[in-house]
Amino acid sequence: MSLEAQLSSLFIDKLNVRVPTPETDLIASGLLDSMQIVELVTQVEQQFGLRIDLERVDFDDLRSLAGIARLIGGSGEKAISE
């Protein structure tokens, strides 16, 4: 299963949010607010066994499933630790 598919399942199962496409802007579309972003980070850390350093994350990486997948898939190495 791709990272985007795993994230889509996480959104449905843990956040009760159905994301239409991997490129959907989660903030601009109103699917997530600031409190849900905190919950999202927590859920991603738990599911993938990662630690996300929010001080080093480019906020735009959290705006879409595709961005989050890139972040945890390796392009955000400075912000991710295991």
Side-chain angles (χ1 to χ4, degrees):
M1 181 183 294
S2 73
L3 277 175
E4 289 175 359
Q6 290 177 53
L7 288 165
S8 182
S9 292
L10 180 143
F11 269 76
I12 292 168
D13 296 341
K14 303 294 183 180
L15 302 172
N16 298 314
V17 173
R18 187 170 302 276
V19 181
T21 71
E23 291 79 25
T24 299
D25 188 318
L26 301 166
I27 310 301
S29 66
L31 291 172
L32 291 183
D33 60 26
S34 59
M35 293 302 291
Q36 289 169 308
I37 290 174
V38 172
E39 179 64 20
L40 166 65
V41 169
T42 300
Q43 292 298 330
V44 167
E45 288 178 334
Q46 288 177 358
Q47 180 162 333
F48 294 97
L50 303 170
R51 166 84 174 88
I52 300 173
D53 183 351
L54 292 177
E55 291 181 10
R56 300 176 111 185
V57 169
D58 182 345
F59 186 71
D60 286 337
D61 290 336
L62 300 175
R63 295 184 78 91
S64 68
L65 290 181
I68 298 166
R70 284 190 300 273
L71 178 70
I72 65 177
S75 63
E77 293 175 6
K78 294 179 184 175
I80 301 288
S81 59
E82 296 182 23

